[in-house]
């Protein structure tokens, strides 16, 4: 079995291409079933967001898997593969596994270190698992990737530094005041930047918010979404005398906040400081305003310098996460190597149990005078002898299977204990389960749902 990923994202495809390959949420169960039924595919998970569409799969053969998965993409989206071939990437084995770890931890995102993708990968995996599209391999791999990403966000500060201008504006205010709880904030402009700024303010403990916009209905809509107060644009100067923080982001081509207006405002504020963050381009605030007493003006260049500094900090934290991923990949490889041990141990126990039962039957025929108590004691003691004889070989083969030539060790073990016939029977039973996987998925879902319940109780950082 081989782990692969085929997909496209914001780095390989422009938005006009990405939008052609988005899965409707309601269609994903059917897509997973069709993908699972695709030739060569044994397990699959689809991670679909606004910035990426990725198909993770466990396949039986490497040479042709890409052809079959591209065929699925072509058929599902009704787009000839010639139109998307150049935008796709595909990774195999270790590269595919590392890619999943990096995606889940936010290292492959447009904004490095963002946490939203973690929830999206988790939801994608749970959906695939619920639709019986995953098995032993992905149940382990995705669990490990999600757990590692969560640990990465808790153990590093990668998500703590503002890396968008709107977020930086809000964080700068936090640095100055410590908290927005008792401060009055005015947002000038109800466009996209104003909306983004408001989202960041909403989780910062803000209680008193005012929104001003030339189109009052837009100001009203934005203010109501956050429990704030919309005001007519004509009240701008009046509000400037009352608030503590101003964040402005209009689309105006001339100064909305003039030097003359702020001179009047400063006179009425009686030495109370006013912090102004101008994130508009062109600027909304006359730069000469920053020369007035007790007025602290920051423009987009100031904030972008902060963003750049914070991005450098995130890169440092990302390097720490890369080391975590290295260790987790080693752990997953060790787990993969030991997968072949379980059938051998099961076969060995089965053979030992059979020999034990045959021996007991022979003993009882030769000693018919034994009573129930004596038979019980003999059975227990002989069973103990068998288990003690098996203990060391089992411990050793577990250790050897995780080493470099583990496959050879498994082969020798099979030959030494003559387990070929029992393993062949196990293989036939496994083939039957693949044709009727419902029972196996019921068993695996019990394990996954257990840690799923555990993880959903943990809030994203």
């Amino acid at each position: 079995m081989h782990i692969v990923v085929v997909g496209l994202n914001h780095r390989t495809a422009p938005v006009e291409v990405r939008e052609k390959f988005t899965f409707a949420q309601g269609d994903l169960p059917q897509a997973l079933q069709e993908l699972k039924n695709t030739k060569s595919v044994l397990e699959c998970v689809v991670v679909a967001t606004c910035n990426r569409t990725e198909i993770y799969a466990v396949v039986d053969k490497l040479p042709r898997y890409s052809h079959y998965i591209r065929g699925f993409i072509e058929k599902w989206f009704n787009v000839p593969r010639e139109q998307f071939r150049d935008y796709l990437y595909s990774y195999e084995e270790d590269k595919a596994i590392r890619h999943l770890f990096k995606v889940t931890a936010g290292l492959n995102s447009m904004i490095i270190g963002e946490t939203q993708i973690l929830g999206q990968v988790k939801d994608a995996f749970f959906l695939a698992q619920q639709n019986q599209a995953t098995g032993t391999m992905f149940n382990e791999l995705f669990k490990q990737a999600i757990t590692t990403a969560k640990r990465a966000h808790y153990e590093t500060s990668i998500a703590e530094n503002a890396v968008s201008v709107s977020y930086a504006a809000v964080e700068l205010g936090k640095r100055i005041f410590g908290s927005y709880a008792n401060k009055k904030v005015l947002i000038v402009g109800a466009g996209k930047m104003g909306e983004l700024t408001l989202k960041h303010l909403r989780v910062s403990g803000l209680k008193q918010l005012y929104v001003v916009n030339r189109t009052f209905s837009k100001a009203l809509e934005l203010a109501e979404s956050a429990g704030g107060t919309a005001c007519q644009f004509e009240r701008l100067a009046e509000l400037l005398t009352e608030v503590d923080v101003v964040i402005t982001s209009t689309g105006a081509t001339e100064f909305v906040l003039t030097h003359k207006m702020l001179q009047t405002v400063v006179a009425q504020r009686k030495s109370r400081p006013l912090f102004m963050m101008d994130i508009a381009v062109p600027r909304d605030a006359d730069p000469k305003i920053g020369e007035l007493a007790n007025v602290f003006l920051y423009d987009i260049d100031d904030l972008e310098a902060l963003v750049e500094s914070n991005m450098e900090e995130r890169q440092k934290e990302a390097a720490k996460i890369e080391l975590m991923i290295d260790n987790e990949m080693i752990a997953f490889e060790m787990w993969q190597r030991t997968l072949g041990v379980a059938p051998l141990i099961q076969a060995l126990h089965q053979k030992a149990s059979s020999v034990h039962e045959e021996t007991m039957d022979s003993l009882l025929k030769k000693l018919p005078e034994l009573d129930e108590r004596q038979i019980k004691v003999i059975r227990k003691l002989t069973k103990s002898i068998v288990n003690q004889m098996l203990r060391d070989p089992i411990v050793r083969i577990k250790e050897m299977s995780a080493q470099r030539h583990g496959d050879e060790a498994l082969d020798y073990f099979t030959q030494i204990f003559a387990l070929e016939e029992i393993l062949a029977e196990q293989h036939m039973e496994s083939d039957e389960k693949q044709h009727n996987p419902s029972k196996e998925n019921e068993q695996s879902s019990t394990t996954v749902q257990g840690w799923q319940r555990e993880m959903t109780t943990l809030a994203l950082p």
Side-chain angles (χ1 to χ4, degrees):
M1 294 189 293
H2 309 277
I3 295 172
V4 301
V5 59
V6 177
L8 49 81
N9 63 23
H10 59 281
R11 295 178 179 174
T12 67
V15 64
E16 59 267 24
V17 173
R18 297 200 306 273
E19 63 190 8
K20 294 179 182 178
F21 300 95
T22 56
F23 288 93
Q25 192 65 29
D27 293 339
L28 274 171
Q30 182 184 346
L32 286 165
Q33 291 306 314
E34 290 194 20
L35 185 57
K36 179 77 183 299
N37 292 331
T38 298
K39 189 173 181 179
S40 188
V41 175
L42 304 175
E43 303 180 33
C44 56
V45 175
V46 175
V47 175
T49 73
C50 58
N51 285 327
R52 72 180 64 247
T53 296
E54 294 182 334
I55 293 173
Y56 293 85
V58 177
V59 298
D60 56 4
K61 296 177 182 178
L62 280 180
R64 297 286 288 168
Y65 79 90
S66 183
H67 170 75
Y68 298 131
I69 293 178
R70 287 167 193 251
F72 163 79
I73 295 172
E74 183 177 47
K75 180 181 176 183
W76 181 267
F77 294 106
N78 194 28
V79 178
R81 66 182 67 193
E82 292 78 16
Q83 294 185 17
F84 61 79
R85 181 173 49 208
D86 294 340
Y87 300 105
L88 286 184
Y89 48 83
S90 58
Y91 305 123
E92 303 164 3
E93 306 294 23
D94 284 354
K95 286 186 178 180
I97 294 168
R98 180 176 292 278
H99 181 75
L100 174 62
F101 276 109
K102 291 181 69 172
V103 166
T104 311
L107 301 190
N108 196 250
S109 296
M110 188 177 290
I111 298 177
I112 187 171
E114 58 96 2
T115 57
Q116 186 179 13
I117 187 64
L118 170 55
Q120 292 168 329
V121 171
K122 185 172 68 172
D123 291 344
F125 167 59
F126 289 162
L127 181 65
Q129 198 274 330
Q130 290 161 7
N131 284 275
Q132 301 181 356
T134 64
T136 302
M137 195 70 72
F138 273 178
N139 284 345
E140 177 65 24
L141 176 60
F142 274 82
K143 171 186 175 181
Q144 192 175 339
I146 293 166
T147 303
T148 301
K150 221 170 223 314
R151 187 162 61 87
H153 285 294
Y154 277 122
E155 294 181 8
T156 71
S157 57
I158 192 166
E160 293 178 6
N161 300 300
V163 288
S164 70
V165 170
S166 57
Y167 187 23
V170 174
E171 287 298 298
L172 181 59
K174 253 200 221 176
R175 290 188 188 182
I176 294 168
F177 295 115
S179 169
Y180 284 102
N182 299 314
K183 303 300 176 182
K184 296 179 181 179
V185 177
L186 169 64
I187 292 181
V188 183
K192 187 64 179 177
M193 288 293 280
E195 184 181 345
L196 289 172
T197 304
L198 185 56
K199 285 182 180 179
H200 298 307
L201 283 168
R202 195 179 298 164
V203 295
S204 299
L206 176 65
K207 294 181 180 177
Q208 289 184 283
L209 170 73
Y210 301 94
V211 180
V212 165
N213 192 67
R214 289 192 186 276
T215 304
F216 180 72
S217 59
K218 290 185 178 181
L220 186 62
E221 182 180 352
L222 186 61
E224 286 181 345
S225 69
T229 303
C231 300
Q232 297 289 346
F233 191 80
E234 290 73 22
R235 289 190 59 200
L236 178 57
E238 174 191 341
L239 291 168
L240 289 172
T241 65
E242 301 177 12
V243 299
D244 304 290
V245 180
V246 179
I247 303 176
T248 178
S249 60
T250 76
T253 56
E254 298 179 352
F255 294 140
V256 176
L257 303 169
T258 65
H259 184 262
K260 183 178 180 181
M261 177 191 296
L262 266 295
Q263 278 183 314
T264 305
V265 167
V266 168
Q268 298 178 41
R269 289 182 64 86
K270 299 178 181 178
S271 300
R272 285 189 299 114
L274 176 63
F275 292 87
M276 304 180 69
M277 285 165 273
D278 184 357
I279 56 178
V281 177
R283 289 177 290 183
D284 283 336
D286 185 338
K288 289 191 295 183
I289 290 173
E291 300 171 5
L292 296 172
N294 297 311
V295 176
F296 303 88
L297 175 63
Y298 301 87
D299 63 21
I300 195 166
D301 284 349
D302 299 321
L303 295 170
E304 284 184 340
L306 176 61
V307 166
E308 186 176 343
S309 172
N310 287 344
M311 185 59 79
E312 290 177 3
E313 290 300 316
R314 285 202 177 198
Q315 293 288 0
K316 292 177 184 176
E317 297 301 298
K320 297 178 185 177
I321 297 174
E322 290 274 11
L323 291 175
M324 293 173 63
I325 290 174
D326 288 342
N327 293 331
E328 291 300 325
M329 287 188 65
I330 293 171
F332 183 73
E333 182 182 358
M334 297 286 284
W335 175 83
Q336 280 184 297
R337 288 182 181 181
T338 60
L339 278 179
V341 176
L344 289 188
I345 294 174
Q346 182 182 348
L348 183 61
H349 277 299
Q350 185 176 333
K351 184 167 186 176
S353 180
S354 177
V355 170
H356 179 252
E357 288 301 320
E358 289 174 5
T359 304
M360 284 298 301
D361 289 343
S362 175
L363 179 65
L364 294 177
K365 288 176 183 177
K366 293 176 180 178
L367 300 172
E369 68 276 10
L370 294 175
D371 59 30
E372 287 296 323
R373 180 181 175 280
Q374 291 170 327
I375 294 172
K376 186 175 180 180
V377 170
I378 293 171
R379 184 181 296 277
K380 183 176 181 180
L381 289 174
T382 53
K383 186 70 173 178
S384 176
I385 293 170
V386 171
N387 288 337
Q388 289 182 59
M389 288 296 296
L390 295 182
R391 184 176 297 120
D392 286 341
I394 288 173
V395 169
R396 293 293 174 83
I397 193 58
K398 284 183 177 180
E399 293 172 349
M400 294 169 69
S401 69
Q403 295 172 3
R404 185 174 180 183
H405 299 291
D407 291 342
E408 292 180 14
L410 296 178
D411 289 338
Y412 289 141
F413 191 88
T414 301
Q415 294 175 41
I416 289 169
F417 289 98
L419 302 175
E420 293 90 347
E421 187 175 338
I422 298 175
L423 289 172
E425 291 175 0
Q426 288 182 0
H427 187 69
M428 290 177 63
E429 291 176 3
S430 178
D431 286 344
E432 289 178 6
K433 283 183 179 179
Q434 282 193 358
H435 288 92
N436 183 22
S438 57
K439 185 174 181 180
E440 182 182 2
N441 273 282
E442 285 176 11
Q443 294 171 345
S444 64
S445 67
T446 302
T447 302
V448 175
Q449 287 167 4
W451 70 266
Q452 178 178 351
R453 286 192 297 272
E454 177 184 345
M455 291 193 70
T456 50
T457 62
L458 299 173
L460 287 173

